[in-house]
Amino acid sequence: MMIIADNETHIDYLYYEPIARTVVKLIREKSAEPLSIGLHGDWGAGKSSALLMIERAFAEEDSTLCVRFNGWLFEGYDDAKAVLIETIVAELLKQRSTFEKVKEKAGDVLQSINWFKVARILGSAALTFYTAMPQGDVLQGVSKMAESVIADPRSVLTGDMFKKIFDGAQEHFKADKPEDSAPDRIHQFRKDFKDLLEVAKIDRLVVLVDDLDRCLPKTAIATLEAIRLFLFVPKASFVIAADEGMIEYAVRDHFPDLPASSGVNSYARSYLEKLIQVPFRMPPLGNLETRIYVTLLLYLNAGIDPNDKAFTDLLDVAEAALKRPWQEGFTREEITRKVGTVAAELELAIQVASEITPILTEGAHGNPRQVKRFVNTMALRLAIAEERGFGDDLKAPVLAKLMLAERFAPDIFEAIARDTGADGRSVTVRQLEQDPVEAPDTDAKHRSAKRPPGKSEAVEWPSRWAKIEPKLAEVDLRPYVFISRDRRAIFSAAPLAGTVENLIERLSGPKMAIRTTDPATIAGLSAADADRVFAGLVAKINGVEDLTQNRPQAAEGLAFFTAHRPAMQASLLEFLQRLPASKLGGWVLTGWAEAFEASMKPKFDALVRQWAEQTGNPKLSSLAKLVSKPSKSKGRN
């Protein structure tokens, strides 16, 4: 078993190489011009892997300086702008350490960085002169602001980021240098940096900026503003990998006083569009891409070496299919033709991927990281089961199917886990697989409706899930529920503690668990056990700290229980009468229709009128008056 690292990879599982090659080609074509390229996409969309491929493409070019910068690693530094520039200069010095002119010119560039650092400490200039929105103090020149403090720069500069900037700082900030205004200093920086690239014999600077969307707004904006300094520096290219939505949020957070919009675009979007000249968006995975990805990951999880010929041959088939995904070229026939005899591990990977892909693609929204985490979680659980000595009791296809419910329909998974009995069979699973379309809905307002497939997502999802192979109705699910306890602690002694305790837990659980409870189980209880179940549900409701808000789940279960145990109707009415009206929410007025037969409804109506007349809870009174009106009487409970 092998867990696939959740970070960028040099193995192109998803055929992102064309995106990387396109970016590289564009950089080479525009080698003499400033260039900014955006790789946009959600977290986990593959942006970092694409950057790795771009970096690899320039690795052997001596005249190209390719620098990888991760803004997240410098979160919390006092001046992220300076860190980015220093990183670039440090890498250039490393590659051209024998060039004396490079060291000299690098000193000029670093001197500008020191100037920016001091300027940042001195006031509002530090926050504005990068933004192209200078204030008056910037136009007056930062040098004049520095006169009062430059005699002792240590008094205003603190922290590790500033410990090396003092040498020559006083001389640099003398007020008799007319060029030391903010605009002049920025122009001087760009000129010095251009000269630095020339003396270093660098034909192209490529800076790969990663994980910017993980940074706090302050760091993200500081990094982007540093990039703005280079937008007029020839030979400088920036490739910025970030979720544009997060960057827009950072802009709005950093500049809260900006107007909400400008024409069709927000100011935040306009800011990003001015910074990014060429945007690329990483596409989400479709069904074929997800099926291929899951197959490759499962095969790797089985322990095969990624350098093994069997895997590289499979990767070739995947790449050929991904070149024309509309042709569905990742078939068993193509795999056999390339790989030869299909090993048992690959056979299992193909089978599982084929079954779970449609729902996994939809649930993960085509996000590669979410798909990878799903597969890794499954592999980890299988490995834990093996170490604990019950690995043979788990089958990957069964676990994968249950994990789909756990991940994308937790109500269904909760219901399955709660009613897994002493024999390991689940009533919920059996009902879903026998009649998935008519399975009870998790949404209370649809409970009694019978709909054809496609009418409701709440019915459609269980129907689609139930059709996935293998069927689970006759499978002992106890080891699968047990191994999922990292997410939940539901597999306790409930199935072993007796029918009463199990039923109480089920009826105080999610709606799906309640609505799929077998009525025969309730009807078959002895009078004493029925009293115990009723008392247990009442205790659950009484234990809720705030009854003014949402309807307690146990109240839902109490209504269902009473509907199938009519002898408990009087006890239910007495319980509702005992509830403190001053501490109740509107939920108490409805949801009891199935619990009271016709002979008991007038008594419940009288209780509603009492709630309408009480004065300790005006909100409950108003709602009760509404449901008490004759026009509302029909079906109000």
Side-chain angles (χ1 to χ4, degrees):
M1 189 276 295
M2 182 177 72
I3 300 296
I4 311 301
D6 189 17
N7 50 31
E8 70 272 12
T9 174
H10 67 281
I11 301 177
D12 191 9
Y13 299 104
L14 298 169
Y15 199 47
Y16 283 161
E17 190 70 39
I19 295 176
R21 287 201 301 262
T22 302
V23 172
V24 170
K25 182 179 180 181
L26 178 60
I27 291 172
R28 286 172 174 158
E29 288 178 349
K30 303 292 183 180
S31 61
E33 304 172 22
L35 182 63
S36 59
I37 299 171
L39 282 183
H40 300 317
D42 299 334
W43 287 345
K47 302 184 295 294
S48 297
S49 294
L51 288 184
L52 190 63
M53 297 172 196
I54 295 169
E55 183 179 23
R56 195 169 55 191
F58 289 114
E60 302 301 323
E61 297 183 13
D62 186 62
S63 61
T64 299
L65 175 65
C66 191
V67 180
R68 187 80 175 266
F69 180 79
N70 189 316
W72 197 31
L73 295 179
F74 297 99
E75 187 73 73
Y77 276 66
D78 289 328
D79 197 335
K81 310 180 196 70
V83 171
L84 173 60
I85 301 170
E86 287 173 343
T87 300
I88 295 170
V89 174
E91 186 62 29
L92 195 149
L93 286 171
K94 178 182 176 181
Q95 293 195 21
R96 298 292 193 269
S97 60
T98 59
F99 289 35
E100 286 301 322
K101 288 186 177 181
V102 170
K103 295 179 182 179
E104 179 182 342
K105 186 52 67 175
D108 293 337
V109 174
L110 291 174
Q111 192 175 49
S112 292
I113 297 174
N114 293 345
W115 188 94
F116 293 147
K117 287 178 179 179
V118 175
R120 176 185 174 276
I121 296 300
L122 294 178
S124 62
L127 300 178
T128 58
F129 68 94
Y130 286 143
T131 65
M133 293 182 289
Q135 297 178 354
D137 53 5
V138 176
L139 297 177
Q140 295 169 8
V142 178
S143 58
K144 293 182 179 180
M145 299 170 58
E147 289 184 68
S148 61
V149 297
I150 201 60
D152 184 14
R154 287 178 174 81
S155 65
V156 291
L157 301 179
T158 59
D160 291 341
M161 287 299 298
F162 301 117
K163 65 184 180 181
K164 296 181 179 179
I165 78 168
F166 299 115
D167 292 342
Q170 284 183 265
E171 181 67 23
H172 182 63
F173 274 89
K174 283 185 176 179
D176 58 0
K177 286 191 174 184
E179 72 275 16
D180 279 350
S181 67
D184 285 340
R185 173 47 59 186
I186 292 172
H187 289 311
Q188 186 64 41
F189 165 80
R190 288 172 172 156
K191 179 181 182 303
D192 289 340
F193 197 87
K194 176 184 175 183
D195 293 344
L196 174 60
L197 295 181
E198 288 180 358
V199 298
K201 301 186 184 306
I202 297 296
D203 293 335
R204 194 68 190 171
L205 167 68
V206 181
V207 183
L208 308 175
V209 181
D210 200 7
D211 283 339
L212 203 57
D213 45 13
R214 293 190 182 190
C215 298
L216 294 175
K218 176 183 176 182
T219 304
I221 293 299
T223 304
L224 291 173
E225 295 296 352
I227 293 171
R228 286 172 64 93
L229 285 171
F230 291 91
L231 291 185
F232 298 98
V233 176
K235 303 181 181 180
S237 295
F238 283 80
V239 183
I240 305 166
D243 177 358
E244 67 268 48
M246 292 299 295
I247 299 303
E248 288 181 35
Y249 167 79
V251 173
R252 291 194 301 270
D253 181 86
H254 195 73
F255 303 112
D257 296 330
L258 286 177
S261 63
S262 173
V264 296
N265 284 344
S266 67
Y267 278 99
R269 173 57 63 92
S270 297
Y271 176 96
L272 188 60
E273 289 181 351
K274 288 178 181 178
L275 185 68
I276 303 296
Q277 297 168 329
V278 183
F280 283 81
R281 179 148 190 93
M282 308 298 292
L285 306 184
N287 275 335
L288 176 67
E289 291 96 335
T290 302
R291 179 162 62 85
I292 290 173
Y293 193 37
V294 172
T295 302
L296 295 172
L297 293 176
L298 287 173
Y299 197 24
L300 285 172
N301 282 148
I304 189 170
D305 187 329
N307 297 314
D308 190 280
K309 187 177 185 302
F311 183 78
T312 56
D313 285 347
L314 182 65
L315 204 57
D316 289 342
V317 180
E319 180 178 318
L322 289 169
K323 288 179 178 179
R324 292 178 174 79
W326 59 89
Q327 294 182 354
E328 294 287 334
F330 196 70
T331 64
R332 186 180 299 276
E333 180 182 359
E334 290 297 326
I335 293 172
T336 303
R337 180 181 297 131
K338 181 70 176 180
V339 177
T341 303
V342 176
E345 295 83 359
L346 178 55
E347 181 68 43
L348 182 62
I350 294 171
Q351 174 195 342
V352 173
S354 176
E355 293 291 343
I356 71 174
T357 286
I359 289 180
L360 183 56
T361 304
E362 176 187 301
H365 303 292
N367 185 285
R369 176 170 291 154
Q370 296 301 321
V371 173
K372 184 188 292 184
R373 288 187 175 183
F374 182 93
V375 174
N376 276 344
T377 300
M378 187 173 74
L380 186 62
R381 289 179 174 180
L382 289 170
I384 291 172
E386 190 68 34
E387 291 298 321
R388 291 183 67 100
F390 64 93
D392 291 342
D393 296 333
L394 295 185
K395 305 300 180 188
V398 174
L399 180 60
K401 181 174 179 177
L402 284 172
M403 283 181 58
L404 286 175
E406 178 187 2
R407 175 67 179 81
F408 303 118
D411 271 4
I412 291 178
F413 182 79
E414 295 280 344
I416 294 170
R418 286 181 183 278
D419 73 6
T420 297
D423 64 351
R425 293 349 182 237
S426 166
V427 175
T428 300
V429 168
R430 183 164 58 251
Q431 184 173 354
L432 288 172
E433 292 185 346
Q434 287 176 351
D435 192 8
V437 173
E438 301 300 337
D441 200 333
T442 58
D443 188 342
K445 69 182 179 181
H446 296 308
R447 283 183 201 130
S448 61
K450 291 187 176 182
R451 298 171 295 279
K455 278 284 186 177
S456 166
E457 289 183 5
V459 169
E460 181 185 357
W461 200 98
S463 175
R464 292 168 58 203
W465 179 83
K467 292 175 182 177
I468 293 176
E469 292 294 336
K471 301 299 182 183
L472 306 182
E474 301 305 320
V475 175
D476 182 353
L477 299 179
R478 288 174 297 176
Y480 299 94
V481 176
F482 176 80
I483 204 65
S484 71
R485 73 195 188 287
D486 57 345
R487 174 187 178 274
R488 46 173 290 110
I490 192 60
F491 191 88
S492 58
L496 308 175
T499 303
V500 171
E501 289 77 6
N502 193 21
L503 195 55
I504 292 172
E505 290 302 313
R506 184 176 177 82
L507 292 175
S508 58
K511 294 177 183 179
M512 187 66 180
I514 295 169
R515 307 312 299 185
T516 55
T517 300
D518 189 354
T521 302
I522 298 174
L525 292 172
S526 66
D529 283 347
D531 286 342
R532 290 171 61 198
V533 172
F534 186 90
L537 294 173
V538 166
K540 295 275 188 181
I541 298 173
N542 287 333
V544 176
E545 292 184 4
D546 187 0
L547 291 174
T548 64
Q549 300 301 318
N550 297 328
R551 184 181 185 85
Q553 288 181 323
E556 192 77 29
L558 189 59
F560 184 86
F561 176 79
T562 306
H564 298 287
R565 195 78 186 191
M568 307 303 299
Q569 291 180 76
S571 298
L572 174 59
L573 186 63
E574 291 174 2
F575 166 65
L576 294 176
Q577 289 171 334
R578 292 196 303 270
L579 289 173
S582 62
K583 299 180 180 180
L584 292 179
W587 63 267
V588 77
L589 300 169
T590 59
W592 307 106
E594 64 178 345
F596 293 118
E597 294 178 342
S599 61
M600 289 294 295
K601 286 186 181 297
K603 296 182 179 180
F604 178 77
D605 290 342
L607 176 58
V608 173
R609 288 194 293 273
Q610 290 179 25
W611 284 330
E613 294 168 0
Q614 56 83 34
T615 58
N617 187 339
K619 184 176 181 181
L620 178 64
S621 175
S622 299
L623 293 173
K625 288 175 182 177
L626 288 175
V627 300
S628 295
K629 290 181 180 180
S631 61
K632 299 288 184 178
S633 61
K634 187 174 181 180
R636 65 172 176 262
N637 297 333

